[in-house]
Amino acid sequence: MSDEQLECPFDAPSCPEEVHSTAAYVLGGLGTLVAVILTILSLQAVPNLHYGIRYNNARKWADVDNVYTAGRYFIGPWNSFVLFPALVQNVEFSNTFNLAPSGDRYPALHTRTKEGLALNLEVALQYKLRQAEVGKLYTEFNVDFEAFFVSTIRESVIKVAADYEVGDQMQREVNSVLNKTYAECWGLQLLDIALPKAFDQSIVQTQVQNQAISTEKYAQESAQIRAMTSVIESQFDKRIKVIKAGGEANYTLITKTAKAKAKKMVLDTEAKVLENIKDQLHLVKKDLVSYQRYAALPIMSDAKLFYGFGSESQVLVDAPRAPARVLQGSSEHLEKLPDGPTREEL
């Protein structure tokens, strides 16, 4: 191939096919290299335990409407992530240097009470950013939000401590302030509080008095409960007596009614038996009375019936006998009597 042929333009129809092929390979390789570079530059990652906001470095613009969590994303070239912590952040206000810091540590807080007494506080608290509002946080504070948080927390804690309110009230106050800046107070711990000695003794005395008042209050409640219990016990004792009296009355009525019914049944049965005897023996009323009299002898204690006189007298009926059915079969006894009084004599 001559030098004249190499100098031909690529689009000239007289150029050889080898020159066109080489140019196509070169352009394709350059295009592929550019695509790979753009792809690599377009891939960005949000580390674990972080939130991310897409930021365009060319246009100096942030996408605050979309918050990215941990992972790898294709966000296009000239874009990167502005990172924010996703886990709980710890802030300490303490001068205890022998305690290893956890998170950011700042000097202890100093304030005065309403009476002008010095008050030193050592506090640790934890806050957490709200994921949905990270974009708003970036819009207002950029990435320097922590300095504003610390200043706000310090003022809130000092304000509450000056009113002698610590613990839950202090945490509620801090949480209320952080809610306005798109965060929340996850926890608050009072590490140390230094009070004047006189003020400390006054607090102890107040607590002792409150405890005494509570003790007396509970003693009064206990006495009241015991009195109420005694009244309830008396009421139940009264009800028990009424129930027992009613039960005894019912028992007496039932038993006497049963006895009366039994007696009536006995009398009715005796009357029927006597009526049968009267009909079978053809007795008149006088004879029937005599029969009842003699029939009653076997059930009478130490009763005896003699007939005859002198040495020839004999015992006709000797008691006691088994108080078996006396009236039934009484006609058999009269018929089996030894030679003695006749039926008419009886």
Side-chain angles (χ1 to χ4, degrees), residues 214-233:
S214 299
T215 302
E216 184 64 24
K217 177 182 177 181
Y218 291 137
Q220 292 177 359
E221 292 180 356
S222 177
Q224 183 179 4
I225 292 173
R226 285 196 295 270
M228 293 176 61
T229 303
S230 178
V231 172
I232 295 173
E233 182 180 5

Side-chain angles (χ1 to χ4, degrees), residues 40-57:
I40 294 175
L41 293 177
S42 299
L43 285 175
Q44 297 292 334
V46 177
N48 290 330
L49 305 178
H50 283 81
Y51 300 129
I53 292 178
R54 184 168 61 90
Y55 180 78
N56 189 288
N57 297 283

Side-chain angles (χ1 to χ4, degrees), residues 284-341:
V284 296
K285 293 182 178 180
K286 180 179 179 181
D287 296 334
L288 188 62
V289 172
S290 299
Y291 172 80
Q292 287 181 295
R293 183 179 61 191
Y294 286 110
L297 289 176
I299 61 175
M300 297 177 60
S301 176
D302 298 330
K304 293 183 179 181
L305 176 65
F306 292 89
Y307 74 93
F309 298 95
S311 59
E312 296 180 356
S313 62
Q314 297 182 11
V315 178
L316 178 61
V317 178
D318 193 2
R321 289 185 179 181
R325 292 174 296 179
V326 177
L327 297 179
Q328 292 183 355
S330 297
S331 58
E332 297 177 2
H333 290 289
L334 292 176
E335 293 176 354
K336 295 180 179 180
L337 289 175
D339 297 337

Side-chain angles (χ1 to χ4, degrees), residues 20-90:
H20 287 285
S21 177
T22 302
Y25 286 135
V26 172
L27 292 176
L30 289 175
T32 302
L33 179 62
V34 171
V36 170
I37 293 174
L38 291 177
T39 301
I40 294 175
L41 293 177
S42 299
L43 285 175
Q44 297 292 334
V46 177
N48 290 330
L49 305 178
H50 283 81
Y51 300 129
I53 292 178
R54 184 168 61 90
Y55 180 78
N56 189 288
N57 297 283
R59 298 170 54 192
K60 305 299 180 183
W61 170 82
D63 180 14
V64 296
D65 296 328
N66 297 302
V67 179
Y68 295 83
T69 56
R72 190 175 297 275
Y73 301 92
F74 185 84
I75 59 176
W78 301 289
N79 287 287
S80 61
F81 283 117
V82 180
L83 301 179
F84 294 86
L87 73 166
V88 174
Q89 301 296 302
N90 189 71

